[in-house]
Amino acid sequence: DGGITQSPKYLFRKEGQNVTLSCEQNLNHDAMYWYRQDPGQGLRLIYYSQIVNDFQKGDIAEGYSVSREKKESFPLTVTSAQKNPTAFYLCASSMGQGGEKLFFGSGTQLSVL
Amino acid sequence: AQSVTQLDSQVPVFEEAPVELRCNYSSSVSVYLFWYVQYPNQGLQLLLKYLSGSTLVESINGFEAEFNKSQTSFHLRKPSVHISDTAEYFCAVSAAHRYGGSQGNLIFGKGTKLSVKP
C-alpha cells in the first residue's frame, strides 16, 4: 500500500539529547513537510522540502534540522536547542510543490523525560 | 500572506443533530480552501476542498462546505451527525497561483473539536 510511514510512534528525549524522527513515503511525491501540533494551536510548519537536496524553514524552524538526501525520506532531528520539544509531530507529502492535497503520516508523539 | 480563523475550539452536539463548524480566512490573493479531519492519535485526512467552480463542495460522508468570497468564509456543515464523526477538524488555505495550482504552503487554523454525544 502506498502511504507515509512515521516512526517511532512514541519517542522520549532526555535533557541535552538530539533525537531523530523518521518519515518515509512511497507515493513518489516531490514535496514533504514537517508540522508540529500542540493542543489548541493547530499545526505549525517546521520545515518543508520541494525537491531532493533542498529544503526551507517554516514558521518554527529554530531547534530543528532536516535533510532530504532521497526523494522518499525526510527525517527531522529535534536538537537540544529546542527547549520545548514535547508535541505531536506530523509528516506530510504532496504531489506538486504547492501542497494542494497533503497526505499525512500517523504522527510521532515526542515527550521529554 | 494568508491566515485562517476557526471560531470555535470545541463543538458538542447530540447524535443526529445538525452541525456547523465555522472557518474564516484572510488573503490578498485568490485562495484554495480545505477541510481536514483528524481522528484520535492519527494524522490528518483531507475531507473536502474548494479549488474553483461550484462554491458548494461535498465529501463522501455527508459533510459539505460553501465558499463565500464576500464573507471570506468556508464553513463546514452536516445535516445529521454520527458518533463516528467525533474528531478534530482543521480548516486550511493556500494561495492560488495565477496559472493554476496552489503556491506556497497550507496555512492551518487551530482546529475545532467536534464531540458527538448519544
Side-chain angles (χ1 to χ4, degrees):
Chain A
D1 289 335
I4 299 180
T5 301
Q6 288 188 242
S7 63
K9 190 172 181 65
Y10 300 96
L11 186 59
F12 297 91
R13 193 191 91 166
K14 296 179 181 179
E15 290 286 338
Q17 184 183 38
N18 292 356
V19 293
T20 298
L21 284 60
S22 170
C23 178
E24 304 277 333
Q25 54 99 358
N26 60 4
L27 300 167
N28 199 34
H29 284 171
D30 290 314
M32 297 186 74
Y33 310 80
W34 274 106
Y35 287 90
R36 170 179 170 141
Q37 185 177 19
D38 297 278
Q41 295 198 44
L43 277 69
R44 292 182 290 170
L45 184 64
I46 304 172
Y47 269 99
Y48 64 101
S49 168
Q50 296 179 332
I51 196 169
V52 175
N53 291 322
D54 188 44
F55 49 83
Q56 287 79 40
K57 292 182 179 180
D59 300 321
I60 55 166
E62 185 174 351
Y64 300 97
S65 66
V66 294
S67 63
R68 187 86 187 277
E69 297 177 0
K70 299 185 295 183
K71 187 175 186 178
E72 60 269 24
S73 179
F74 191 42
L76 173 75
T77 296
V78 184
T79 74
S80 57
Q82 172 50 246
K83 298 306 179 186
N84 185 23
T86 296
F88 191 55
Y89 290 85
L90 286 164
C91 179
S93 70
S94 66
M95 178 75 72
Q97 298 181 2
E100 286 182 12
K101 177 180 178 179
L102 296 183
F103 291 80
F104 283 85
S106 57
T108 294
Q109 176 64 51
L110 175 62
S111 303
V112 177
L113 290 176
Chain B
Q2 293 74 45
S3 67
V4 177
T5 302
Q6 290 185 244
L7 297 166
D8 305 296
S9 60
Q10 298 188 44
V11 174
V13 295
F14 287 105
E15 194 173 18
E16 298 183 6
V19 71
E20 178 180 82
L21 306 183
R22 296 180 292 171
C23 173
N24 288 89
Y25 70 92
S26 68
S27 177
S28 57
V29 300
S30 297
V31 296
Y32 295 152
L33 293 156
F34 308 82
W35 276 99
Y36 281 82
V37 59
Q38 184 180 33
Y39 297 102
N41 300 314
Q42 294 186 26
L44 279 68
Q45 304 169 36
L46 181 67
L47 187 61
L48 46 77
K49 61 183 179 181
Y50 168 78
L51 302 182
S52 64
S54 172
T55 57
L56 184 65
V57 291
E58 299 177 352
S59 71
I60 59 173
N61 59 351
F63 282 94
E64 64 179 30
E66 185 163 19
F67 171 54
N68 188 318
K69 189 175 181 179
S70 63
Q71 297 186 5
T72 61
S73 68
F74 191 56
H75 302 331
L76 181 69
R77 303 184 181 95
K78 188 170 185 179
S80 176
V81 295
H82 303 289
I83 298 287
S84 59
D85 292 324
T86 295
E88 190 160 15
Y89 293 80
F90 293 90
C91 184
V93 63
S94 68
H97 195 282
R98 59 191 295 185
Y99 299 116
S102 65
Q103 59 180 356
N105 298 296
L106 282 181
I107 305 298
F108 286 88
K110 293 187 176 182
T112 297
K113 289 186 177 178
L114 175 63
S115 175
V116 182
K117 305 177 187 301

